[in-house]
Amino acid sequence: MLDSNKSTPNTFPSTTTLLSSPNNVFIFIGDDNNTLPLLVTADKEANNLGYNAGMIMRKVSSFLGGSGGGRPDFASGAGKDKSKINELLNNVKDMLK
């Protein structure tokens, strides 16, 4: 995606928190002014264990007051409520179930 004010592509925000589980599921949370860009990935091993990136994204983005979705292996979305990030960090393993 190109920003109309810049000649270089936008990159994922530099303030990024990475959450991971032992089942090859990764959740990336960025901080882009008033939104929290989100990415979730889950590899085939995680998919075989029942983890679905799209379903996880819906839970995480909803928890943060936003929305999102995607495929079993990759999903994107955004949240709005930065005040819930610490609570998310403390409860992410329960959300993966």
Side-chain angles (χ1 to χ4, degrees):
M1 170 189 341
L2 289 176
D3 185 332
S4 61
N5 297 321
K6 298 178 185 177
S7 60
T8 58
N10 288 331
T11 58
F12 202 70
S14 60
T15 309
T16 303
T17 302
L18 170 65
L19 309 175
S20 66
S21 81
N23 297 305
N24 304 310
V25 174
F26 296 92
I27 302 171
F28 299 89
I29 304 172
D31 186 357
D32 188 19
N33 296 320
N34 296 324
T35 62
L36 301 167
L38 305 168
L39 293 174
V40 177
T41 65
D43 67 7
K44 285 188 180 204
E45 180 182 340
N47 291 158
N48 290 338
L49 292 170
Y51 296 99
N52 180 309
M55 298 296 287
I56 294 167
M57 175 56 72
R58 284 190 276 286
K59 289 180 183 180
V60 170
S61 61
S62 176
F63 185 83
L64 295 174
S67 63
R71 303 182 313 251
D73 63 330
F74 180 84
S76 62
K80 299 176 185 175
D81 191 349
K82 293 179 184 183
S83 70
K84 291 193 167 195
I85 290 177
N86 285 334
E87 187 178 351
L88 174 68
L89 293 171
N90 291 328
N91 296 301
V92 72
K93 287 186 180 183
D94 292 332
M95 291 184 152
L96 294 177
K97 295 179 182 177

